[in-house]
Every structure is written in C-alpha cells, then in structure tokens.
C-alpha cells in the first residue's frame, strides 16, 4: 500500500520497527468514511483513529487473518480512493 496516492502511515514502516498493528490514512479522505466503506462494501472491520494530527484507520490482523482477507482490505482501500 506504500504506493497508493496520498497514503500516510502513522508509525514506523521499517522491517525492524514495525509490527502487525498499523494506522494509515489518506490525504483529503476522512477516516470515518473509509471505515464505513470497508465495512459496508467489503465486510472488513477496522477502527477509526482521530486524535490530534491523526486521521486514519487502525488495522490489526492476527495469526488467524488469511492473506486473502488482507487482499480484500487492500482492494477496499483502492476502491475507496477511486471514489
């Protein structure tokens, strides 16, 4: 997702300092609308984080998250950006 237009990562992205938890946002896009879009159209649950300069969604996969579920998340985000 690093190459998506307007993406912002709120946290480290290096292999040595990142983990399963990620908070991402997009320039000019409201996090609440992205959260709704993902849930309604793609059945993907994320949590909105709006605090000070953060306007994003928290993604927290776990050991039971399948790669195809992560692919659906990315597909939903791409669909939201196009809208």
């Amino acid at each position: 997702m690093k190459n998506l237009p307007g993406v912002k990562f709120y946290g480290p992205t290096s292999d040595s300092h990142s983990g399963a938890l990620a908070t991402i946002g997009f320039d000019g896009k409201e996090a609440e609308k992205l959260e709704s879009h993902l849930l309604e159209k793609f059945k993907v649950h994320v949590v909105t984080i709006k605090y000070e300069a953060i306007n994003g969604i928290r993604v927290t996969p776990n050991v039971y998250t399948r790669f195809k579920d992560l692919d659906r998340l990315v597909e939903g985000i791409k669909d939201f950006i196009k809208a």
Side-chain angles (χ1 to χ4, degrees):
M1 292 193 325
K2 290 189 279 187
N3 298 324
L4 294 177
V7 69
K8 287 183 175 184
F9 287 90
Y10 297 100
T13 58
S14 68
D15 290 344
S16 61
H17 293 101
S18 62
L21 175 72
T23 301
I24 59 171
F26 294 90
D27 291 330
K29 305 283 187 181
E30 289 298 318
E32 295 92 346
K33 291 182 180 177
L34 174 54
E35 178 187 19
S36 296
H37 181 84
L38 289 172
L39 187 58
E40 292 169 13
K41 289 188 75 177
F42 291 86
K43 305 300 183 224
V44 173
H45 173 69
V46 296
V47 176
T48 300
I49 304 294
K50 292 208 60 163
Y51 180 75
E52 294 184 359
I54 298 173
N55 173 34
I57 57 166
R58 186 182 70 213
V59 179
T60 53
N62 65 47
V63 296
Y64 301 109
T65 303
R66 301 170 295 187
F67 287 120
K68 71 180 187 177
D69 297 326
L70 294 174
D71 290 341
R72 192 169 70 242
L73 168 69
V74 174
E75 179 186 349
I77 290 172
K78 287 178 178 180
D79 186 68
F80 177 76
I81 291 171
K82 290 179 190 175

